[in-house]
Amino acid sequence: MSIKRKWLKLTSYGALWLTAATLLTKLIGVLQKIPLQNLAGDSVFGIYNIVYPIYQMMMALGIAGIPTALASYIAMQPPLERERTLRVGLTISSAASLIMAVIGFAAAPWLGSLIGHKEVVSSLRVLALALLITPLIAVYRGYYQGLDDAKTSSLSQLLEQLIRVACMVLLLWLGLKLDWSDATMSAAVMWGSVIGALATLLWFWQRKPKQPKQEDTSTSWIKEGAVLLKLALPTALAAIVVPMVAVVDALTIPRLLADSGVQGTEAMAQFGQYSRIQPLIQLVSMLLAALAAGFLPRWVKQERDGIAGHWLGTRLLLMHRIALLISFGAAAGLYILSEPINIALYKDAAGIATFRLLAISTAASCVLAVQAPLLQGAGITRLSIWLVIIAAGSKALLNGWLVPIHGIEGAALAANLSLLVPAVIGGWALYRTVQPINGVPYNMLTIVNRELARPLLAASLGMLIMLAALRLLKQLWPQELETRLDMTAYILVAVVIGASLYGLAMLLSRAITAEELRRLG
């Protein structure tokens, strides 16, 4: 097979398209936050990072898990029924998004009072408008993923992000010219989300899916809607675990800092420092989640058709192990490179101790992001709500205890503890459930050894090798790391070397094998 044919075959896989699109989208998202913080300052950056998690959680509720459910459901449907299912999904998400938008707009003043900063009200109301549109876009993406056409879904992500960031940068420049206040500046850049979402929705409408139609009846709509909701609600709950923790932070940390004597603008600035690492953690976690979501419809279809030897359970565990290994490497890399990353992206190393503590939480955040689609694939539907309650409840309690004593470093420690527990519970549930899928006698000791103990040992070895190599690199670097450009060059070289050595260590230690990687397809 020629190189061109191999490439065309590879690019037909949904996982590759979704992962590549997510990588580019998140890189753009990370890069757009650099001028926001550098030019507008930590206070505007803090407002942005208070408001955006609330928007993400309400968007997850507005989407209601329909896209992921739609992708899996359509993958198993005959062509005649697919367009009707899309219309049902759009109807459900339209109703949910309208409710979320009205709640978000009306509750903005109350949320501002709860947080203790009225500056967030106008930003919340702008994003409430985006809630009318973004869930519909997500439904279209789920539909195309179910058709195994992840290319269209991926292109829509890039389109939305490019337009959003372009509008944000333009409005940021205008705000600096006109000397807008922090509240006005933050609300202005939020309009990028509304414009980007609207443009993407219009793009989807221009690419109406051409599927054979089946006559609709009220009974078929009700039945279809009930099936989708049954599949979607557990996924929706799983999807808001990490955003819910971020919302708890937004609602509690600024107020707790103010109650501890930190003044308003300084409290916002400290929250901005606390939020510096979040785009990087999201970059890794969303990449892994997109990888899992890209493979899942294909796996479900192959399981239904009896293809690939009924490997669904094996593949779910394998994806979980891959996420575990990658997340440990990412956490170690962020911890080791914390100082140059802060200086390269944010001009200074303010809050670096908090950054390092939060770097450790990368592992649990990434695993939780991957567990959402994997748990659905394994048929676990009731656990998600408990994971949300445990994560959010423990974060609120730990923030109340640790922030008054240790400030934002206490909040970072609370993040590690509150995410670790649900990640462990979700992994344990997955290990226990997939065995009947494979038809293999249950042996938890074997599972823990293969899926947890050996990967942890291999990851520890890989992290030590990476640490030694990066320290040697810093000593051998030809010049002092004085400017942001120097730091950026060093980070790029360090990431390539560190990731290569870590990946090699995983293969040599057989934490993951070439044969196992072939099973993913």
Side-chain angles (χ1 to χ4, degrees), residues 69 92 133 175 217 245 272 282 290 416 482:
I92 294 172
I133 309 168
T217 65
V245 171
Q282 290 171 9
N416 279 281
E482 296 178 348

Side-chain angles (χ1 to χ4, degrees), residues 147-347:
L147 296 179
D148 206 12
D149 179 14
K151 179 180 178 180
T152 298
S153 176
S154 303
L155 289 174
S156 75
Q157 290 184 44
L158 289 175
L159 176 67
E160 182 184 4
Q161 186 75 313
L162 286 171
I163 294 174
R164 185 181 75 85
V165 172
C167 292
M168 190 217 78
V169 172
L170 178 62
L171 290 166
L172 177 62
W173 172 81
L174 185 62
L176 291 171
K177 287 287 185 182
L178 300 177
D179 196 25
W180 288 344
S181 67
D182 289 349
T184 304
M185 181 80 78
S186 178
V189 299
M190 297 300 177
W191 276 102
S193 297
V194 180
I195 299 169
L198 182 59
T200 307
L201 183 60
L202 293 173
W203 182 78
F204 269 125
W205 283 348
Q206 292 297 317
R207 298 173 60 95
K208 291 180 181 178
K210 296 179 180 179
Q211 294 288 331
K213 293 184 179 180
Q214 185 181 54
E215 185 177 349
D216 293 342
T217 65
S218 59
T219 304
S220 64
W221 270 64
I222 294 171
K223 182 180 178 181
E224 200 92 59
V227 172
L228 279 176
L229 285 173
K230 184 177 179 180
L231 288 171
L233 288 178
T235 307
L237 291 170
I240 66 170
V241 173
V242 176
M244 179 66 83
V245 171
V247 169
V248 170
D249 282 340
L251 296 178
T252 59
I253 293 177
R255 177 171 286 279
L256 289 169
L257 289 173
D259 292 344
S260 302
V262 181
Q263 297 301 315
T265 304
E266 176 60 23
M268 274 306 169
Q270 286 192 24
F271 190 76
Q273 294 165 13
Y274 175 85
S275 304
R276 286 183 175 189
I277 197 174
Q278 297 305 326
L280 303 175
I281 295 176
Q282 290 171 9
L283 172 63
V284 182
S285 62
M286 290 186 70
L287 274 174
L288 291 172
L291 186 67
F295 277 116
L296 194 58
R298 183 182 293 267
W299 292 346
V300 171
K301 187 175 185 297
Q302 289 178 347
E303 185 75 8
R304 182 201 66 183
D305 297 338
I307 303 173
H310 297 288
W311 283 352
L312 179 60
T314 301
R315 286 165 159 174
L316 294 176
L317 281 182
L318 177 58
M319 182 59 70
H320 192 267
R321 193 190 332 152
I322 290 172
L324 195 67
L325 292 170
I326 293 175
S327 64
F328 276 119
L334 287 172
Y335 189 96
I336 296 168
L337 298 173
S338 56
E339 184 175 358
I341 287 174
N342 267 276
I343 294 174
L345 297 183
Y346 303 116
K347 298 191 296 186

